[in-house]
Amino acid sequence: MIKKRTKTVTLTFLREQLLYDIKNLAYVEGDVLSDEAQHSKHQVQDIGEEGNVDRVTRMLDLALAHCVEALYPFSKVDVESGVVLDDTLTETPTYTVELLVPDDFSDTTAKYLEQLIHNLLVYLVLADWMSIANVANPKSAANWAAKAQDLEDEIKSKLNARTGRVRKFQSPF
């Protein structure tokens, strides 16, 4: 049996960039609400304000964990003995995802995955926030959740695609 060589790809996501996109999209989402929905409008647009950003932080952490778990065949990391986890709210400045990929994994695929995952993190946070704040447009949360699901499906599709040559071995029968 031939052992396939692997390499590590590290995808980095800056909190500042994620928050920028989240706030921009939430602003637009609130801006298109009718004038009668002023209360919902400001609730939607205030996603990055003090107090609200704590919810965003927790959802970013959850969304990243969700992504890493969805990428499990490529992202599995052994648990160290004695590790202790707690739920302390921490604003992580940089989120990373390390993937162990085949040696012939394409650089363009890695870059594409980075873009897909960035947007997936943003969309998952927006789906959660719209389910809480956008009572004037109840379909908004489902819309963002559907967009997130489409991205997750695309990510899985890219990782499940063949990345190398297919070799057929002759059967002795």
Side-chain angles (χ1 to χ4, degrees), residues 11 15 102 125 132 134 154:
L11 306 177
R15 173 184 170 78
V125 170
I132 297 167
N134 199 353
E154 179 68 12

Side-chain angles (χ1 to χ4, degrees), residues 67-133:
C67 287
V68 170
E69 191 64 21
L71 298 167
Y72 176 74
F74 299 91
S75 65
K76 57 184 171 188
V77 177
D78 293 333
V79 171
E80 295 179 24
S81 178
V83 69
V84 177
L85 303 173
D86 65 49
D87 64 349
T88 302
L89 181 64
T90 305
E91 291 184 2
T92 306
T94 304
Y95 296 93
T96 58
V97 175
E98 287 195 10
L99 303 174
L100 194 60
V101 298
D103 214 24
D104 58 353
F105 196 80
S106 169
D107 182 54
T108 56
T109 302
K111 289 177 182 174
Y112 185 48
L113 284 173
E114 184 269 330
Q115 294 296 313
L116 290 171
I117 293 169
H118 173 95
N119 284 313
L120 178 57
L121 295 172
V122 170
Y123 294 174
L124 287 170
V125 170
L126 286 169
D128 175 72
W129 186 253
M130 295 307 157
S131 73
I132 297 167

